[in-house]
Amino acid sequence: MYLATTGRRDAPPTPSGVRRRVPGTVLALGAVSLVTDVSSEMVTAVLPLYLVLGLGLSPLQFGLLDGLSTGATALVRLLGGAAADRGGRHKQVGGLGYALSACSRLGLLLAGGATGWIATSLAADRLGKGVRTAPRDALITLHSPPEDLGRAFGTHRAMDTTGALLGPLAAFALLWATTDAYDAVFAVSFCVGAFGVLLWLLLVPGRREAPEGTTRPTAPAPRARGGLLTGPRSPAYRRIVLCAALLGAATVGDSFLYLLLQRRLAFEAGWFPLLPLGAAVVYLLLAVPAGRLADRVGRRRPLLYGHGALLLAYGLLLTPLPDTAVLLGVLALLGVFYAATDGVLMALAGPFLTEGRQAGGLALVQTAQALARLGAAVAFGAVWTASGPETALVAAFLALTAALCCAARLLPTAPAEQGPAPAEQGPAPAEQGPAAPAEPVERTD
């Protein structure tokens, strides 16, 4: 059955206009993400500086590494989502991903200046993220009322972004205190990441159990058919996957935008790790309001508006405005972009997923986006190397404009916004059994 028709069976109806509490599982997942993002953003904040200015990599080489770190998650996202759905092992699979990312920091610590080892460590980090993201987001979907998915994802992303805010601060403090000792950043990042794994083990619940005194349906829900790459058969869901890929193919990575800002403003390299803070502050302030707005007005519009904000950031970098205005504007627009798109995309896809395929369905959306961003990073780096940053940015601006026009026509309206969607039909009446009389919709956790 569709998640749009499911929720907590044991929860009494909530009067209209009364705000529900954010589920405890969502808060626990947010705490883990906060700590883990402190670890990961410590590395992310210094990596462009370390690779391009420290090791002397060209923009094309950096684009290949950045794209690899994103695209390496593609198949693993699908495998992780399928493994998590099989038997409801969301906690076990997600914990493996968090542990892999934490251990990748040791690889960076031991790599020295060897580009191959650095690439391997970055790939391991992204593989860990790919393994954990779909099970984590599936847990949010499973433990939240469908009509509040935007707020649940917004709350989680706000806590996640708090870690993204603290990580660059910690990296900046370490580099200042140790006179640009990147090894110290990698070592502390590993310790913080290990603490995040411990929190996952202690705070996140395992398999969901039925509330005491409640009964489960005697007839199982129809099994979703299709292979690993097919996902649910809903045409609307497939349009979401297509739009995620289209928009991802025109999305320039943050690292490139920060390098463009550093190139334009020509500030000292030691200040580079602080650039993500501006975007993180805006993201933190807007993540929950954007989620609530998406629940109220529909999730497709905030998703489109968020990519419109990214388009404005591209354009701002091409204008002759004062450097301070460009710096503040780009960072603010990046924050708006993430607040209006990151969790909202998952909340948009969630109601179209069948029971038992939540992690796999979300993984397919994330994989399409990751592969598209891999291509975007490599293409942007290649054009920058061949023709300069301005030409690359103009090409990205035109590509995102075209992708937005296509997405505006293709993105569907979520079932929660237009009434409950019908369950996926099985291939034969024998699998479904005789049609049952219409009953009031019950909510299950």
Side-chain angles (χ1 to χ4, degrees):
M1 66 180 68
Y2 278 87
L3 288 180
T5 62
T6 63
R8 287 189 59 88
R9 171 176 297 186
D10 59 323
T14 302
S16 178
V18 176
R19 184 177 298 174
R20 300 176 181 86
R21 292 183 178 179
V22 176
T25 300
V26 174
L27 297 178
L29 292 167
V32 174
S33 293
L34 188 157
V35 172
T36 302
D37 246 38
V38 172
S39 170
S40 63
E41 292 301 322
M42 287 179 66
V43 174
T44 301
V46 303
L47 206 57
L49 183 70
Y50 178 55
L51 296 177
V52 176
L53 301 183
L55 299 183
L57 269 64
S58 70
L60 175 58
Q61 291 173 314
F62 177 72
L64 288 169
L65 281 178
D66 187 61
L68 173 65
S69 68
T70 301
T73 66
L75 180 61
V76 178
R77 285 178 190 267
L78 296 173
L79 294 175
D85 282 335
R86 193 179 299 276
R89 295 192 292 263
H90 300 93
K91 179 171 182 176
Q92 294 88 331
V93 175
L96 176 63
Y98 279 104
L100 182 59
S101 289
C103 292
S104 72
R105 314 289 185 241
L106 288 179
L108 288 173
L109 186 63
L110 300 174
T115 305
W117 283 107
I118 292 173
T120 302
S121 299
L122 292 178
D125 175 47
R126 296 298 92 182
L127 289 175
K129 182 172 178 137
V131 168
R132 72 179 185 252
T133 300
R136 181 202 66 198
D137 286 350
L139 285 172
I140 296 174
T141 301
L142 288 167
H143 288 272
S144 305
E147 63 273 17
D148 288 341
L149 276 177
R151 184 165 70 101
F153 275 103
T155 300
H156 173 269
R157 295 319 196 245
M159 297 179 72
D160 183 272
T161 307
T162 302
L165 185 65
L166 297 175
L169 284 174
F172 175 78
L174 281 170
L175 289 178
W176 180 78
T178 59
T179 316
D180 296 340
Y182 292 99
D183 287 353
V185 176
F186 300 149
V188 174
S189 174
F190 165 72
C191 295
V192 176
F195 180 59
V197 175
L198 179 62
L199 288 181
W200 175 273
L201 295 174
L202 296 178
L203 299 182
V204 176
R207 189 176 303 178
R208 293 181 305 154
E209 301 292 341
E212 186 176 354
T214 63
T215 59
R216 295 230 181 240
T218 55
R223 290 184 63 185
R225 301 186 69 191
L228 188 63
L229 296 173
T230 60
R233 292 181 295 166
S234 163
Y237 167 80
R238 292 181 177 179
R239 291 203 302 271
I240 293 174
V241 175
L242 175 60
C243 290
L246 284 174
L247 293 169
T251 300
V252 176
D254 298 356
S255 298
F256 274 122
L257 296 182
Y258 296 147
L259 285 172
L260 288 169
L261 284 172
Q262 196 277 336
R263 175 189 176 94
R264 175 165 177 163
L265 276 66
F267 52 76
E268 292 184 10
W271 295 97
F272 190 90
L274 295 182
L275 282 179
L277 294 184
V281 168
V282 177
Y283 187 5
L284 175 62
L285 294 175
L286 295 183
V288 175
R292 289 176 180 164
L293 180 66
D295 288 336
R296 296 177 65 180
V297 305
R299 291 159 191 160
R300 66 186 300 276
R301 281 191 284 173
L303 186 66
L304 294 172
Y305 295 156
H307 283 88
L310 182 62
L311 185 67
L312 291 176
Y314 293 176
L316 200 57
L317 282 166
L318 294 168
T319 64
L321 292 174
D323 290 345
T324 302
V326 172
L327 173 65
L328 297 178
V330 168
L331 295 181
L333 289 168
L334 269 179
V336 173
F337 163 66
Y338 281 112
T341 61
D342 189 10
V344 172
L345 177 60
M346 297 297 99
L348 176 64
F352 293 101
L353 303 179
T354 52
E355 188 69 35
R357 292 289 297 274
Q358 293 91 348
L362 293 177
L364 188 56
V365 176
Q366 295 160 357
T367 297
Q369 188 179 64
L371 287 176
R373 288 184 175 179
L374 164 62
V378 175
F380 189 86
V383 176
W384 182 341
T385 302
S387 304
E390 289 79 12
T391 303
L393 199 53
V394 169
F397 183 91
L398 295 176
L400 184 54
T401 301
L404 268 173
C405 292
C406 293
R409 296 181 62 87
L410 292 174
L411 278 175
T413 302
E417 300 160 20
Q418 55 178 311
E424 280 192 35
Q425 298 297 319
E431 289 189 19
Q432 299 179 15
E439 295 180 338
V441 175
E442 285 191 330
R443 299 191 165 194
T444 57
D445 191 10

